[in-house]
């Protein structure tokens, strides 16, 4: 890969950069590495409006599939997994019904979904059993790093009990938790050995984290649980203007991939949240540069194959 101006164009996500990215990542035979985006957000305000957006002015606008397709054009994103957007509980079922309809229609890349849920709350069992009948819903997530969620919440007996139920139903659970609580995530995984967990956003790592040493130790400990895989996603949003995202994020990505191994990591775009630090194209370019020393087979595992197997796509 060339550097200098070419590298800046790649990370910028401009049209010229996308063209260069496609050229740089093509194999010798001409077939580019395809992508399954395992973390696709959408919040069309005509359908629902996540309440937390009121405190995020840069994200507080409607986002649609048409805009996502525009943001990912030319990047060989062949399939996506919808990721819930932390809606108010009364809108959760509406979200689930909507994503099931979109997936079933097969008119977009969206092929599977992880929807919102509140383990430990009344009615959870009936809610999950209803979701389990959907052919495209693979699992659930509850964002655990909100200001209204106290530390240790995921270890409450009623929460653990309901997450254990997901394993019995063959459903996954995404862990999206404060980095200082990664040890709690490990205890949850130990208590639910039949559940397949996905650690979102490299454990919510941040660039230039003064507590990076503790994060590294916790990631290493988490990775010893065979029922956890790691999503390489989200971290680009923490890159500040003027920083080199490749150099800032290389240690985070490298440690996650070394800890979990190439068979237990997968790419996530986290659009449009990624726009806080880079465009979707810029994040793809950054990550591809970070893993450029890997062979084509391993790059395919990261960007496509692992997700296809884990989310039962194709």
């Amino acid at each position: 890969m060339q550097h200098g101006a070419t590298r800046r164009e790649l990370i910028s996500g401009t049209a010229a950069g996308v063209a260069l990215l496609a050229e740089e990542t093509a194999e010798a035979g001409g077939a580019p590495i395809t992508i399954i985006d395992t973390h696709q957000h959408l919040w069309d305000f005509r359908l629902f409006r996540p309440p937390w957006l009121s405190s995020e002015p840069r994200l507080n606008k409607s986002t649609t599939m048409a805009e996502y397709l525009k943001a990912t054009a030319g990047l060989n994103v062949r399939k996506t997994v919808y990721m819930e957007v932390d809606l108010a509980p009364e809108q959760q079922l509406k979200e689930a019904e909507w994503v099931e309809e979109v997936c079933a229609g097969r008119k977009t890349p969206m092929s599977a979904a992880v929807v919102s849920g509140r383990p430990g709350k009344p009615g959870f069992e009936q809610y999950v059993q209803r979701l389990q009948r959907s052919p495209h819903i693979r699992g659930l997530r509850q964002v655990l790093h909100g200001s209204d969620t106290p530390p240790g919440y995921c270890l409450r007996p009623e929460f653990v009990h309901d997450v254990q139920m997901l394993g019995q139903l063959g459903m996954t659970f995404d862990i999206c938790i404060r980095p200082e609580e990664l040890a709690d995530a490990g205890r949850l995984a130990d208590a639910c050995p039949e559940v397949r967990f996905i650690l979102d956003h490299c454990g919510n790592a941040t660039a230039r984290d003064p507590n990076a040493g503790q994060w590294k130790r916790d990631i290493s400990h988490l990775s010893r649980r065979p029922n956890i895989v790691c999503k390489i996603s989200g971290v680009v949003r923490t890159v500040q203007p003027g920083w080199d995202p490749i150099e800032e994020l290389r240690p985070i990505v490298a440690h996650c991939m070394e800890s979990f191994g190439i068979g237990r990591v997968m790419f996530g775009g986290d659009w449009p949240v990624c726009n806080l630090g880079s465009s979707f194209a810029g994040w793809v370019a950054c990550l591809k540069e970070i893993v450029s020393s890997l062979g084509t087979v391993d790059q395919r595992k990261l960007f496509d194959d692992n997700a296809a197997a884990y989310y039962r796509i194709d």
Side-chain angles (χ1 to χ4, degrees):
M1 175 177 173
Q2 302 176 35
H3 294 282
T6 298
R7 172 165 158 165
R8 288 195 298 271
E9 285 181 318
L10 279 168
I11 297 172
S12 72
T14 62
V18 171
L20 285 166
L21 181 59
E23 180 181 345
E24 294 282 356
T25 57
E27 297 179 49
I33 293 175
T34 53
I35 292 174
I36 295 178
D37 180 3
T38 64
H39 210 92
Q40 178 202 38
H41 294 305
L42 294 173
W43 45 74
D44 186 340
F45 286 176
R46 294 170 298 181
L47 301 171
F48 38 69
R49 184 187 296 257
W52 59 272
L53 283 176
S54 61
S55 61
E56 290 285 354
R58 289 184 290 173
L59 298 173
N60 194 12
K61 58 182 179 179
S62 186
T63 59
T64 65
M65 178 63 76
E67 292 171 294
Y68 175 82
L69 294 175
K70 183 178 179 180
T72 60
L75 298 175
N76 300 300
V77 176
R78 69 180 186 92
K79 299 288 184 182
T80 72
V81 178
Y82 173 83
M83 176 55 60
E84 65 92 20
V85 295
D86 199 20
L87 292 170
E90 59 269 20
Q91 291 190 309
Q92 291 173 352
L93 184 58
K94 181 178 180 180
E95 177 189 41
E97 291 172 343
W98 173 72
V99 296
E100 173 58 36
E101 181 181 356
V102 174
C103 292
R106 299 189 177 186
K107 296 180 180 179
T108 76
M110 191 191 295
S111 301
V114 174
V115 299
S116 182
R118 297 292 185 271
K121 295 296 184 181
F124 181 81
E125 181 175 356
Q126 294 79 7
Y127 174 68
V128 171
Q129 289 175 343
R130 181 170 181 174
L131 296 179
Q132 198 235 359
R133 296 194 290 268
S134 165
H136 297 99
I137 293 176
R138 301 291 186 255
L140 280 81
R141 181 177 81 154
Q142 176 177 352
V143 173
L144 296 170
H145 56 71
S147 59
D148 58 344
T149 304
Y153 186 85
C154 69
L155 298 179
R156 293 182 177 185
E158 61 272 21
F159 190 101
V160 174
H161 173 271
D162 282 354
V163 173
Q164 289 172 339
M165 187 194 318
L166 297 179
Q168 298 165 14
L169 297 175
M171 302 182 76
T172 65
F173 188 77
D174 272 61
I175 300 175
C176 195
I177 199 167
R178 288 176 281 260
E180 59 268 26
E181 295 168 34
L182 288 174
D184 287 352
R187 296 185 185 99
L188 177 64
D190 290 340
C192 307
E194 295 183 2
V195 179
R196 295 180 299 157
F197 291 93
I198 306 96
L199 181 67
D200 288 350
H201 306 334
C202 300
N204 275 321
T206 59
R208 301 193 185 184
D209 181 5
N211 298 313
Q214 185 62 52
W215 170 84
K216 290 184 68 175
R217 289 188 290 273
D218 288 341
I219 288 292
S220 297
H221 292 155
L222 265 183
S223 68
R224 297 171 188 170
R225 279 82 173 181
N227 57 332
I228 302 182
V229 300
C230 183
K231 194 173 290 186
I232 308 299
S233 63
V235 289
V236 75
R237 66 177 170 77
T238 71
V239 175
Q240 300 299 312
W243 296 2
D244 183 336
I246 293 173
E247 297 311 315
E248 296 294 342
L249 301 180
R250 189 189 302 276
I252 296 173
V253 172
H255 183 66
C256 287
M257 295 187 66
E258 179 181 354
S259 297
F260 284 90
I262 192 61
R264 293 167 57 208
V265 291
M266 59 184 76
F267 167 80
D270 196 28
W271 185 90
V273 182
C274 67
N275 292 336
L276 296 176
S278 174
S279 66
F280 187 101
W283 166 226
V284 171
C286 173
L287 183 56
K288 286 196 172 184
E289 172 68 357
I290 290 172
V291 302
S292 59
S293 62
L294 297 179
T296 299
V297 171
D298 284 348
Q299 290 193 41
R300 284 192 175 280
K301 289 180 180 179
L302 169 64
F303 284 101
D304 192 311
D305 294 349
N306 291 344
Y310 203 81
Y311 287 109
R312 306 192 308 277
I313 294 174
D314 295 334

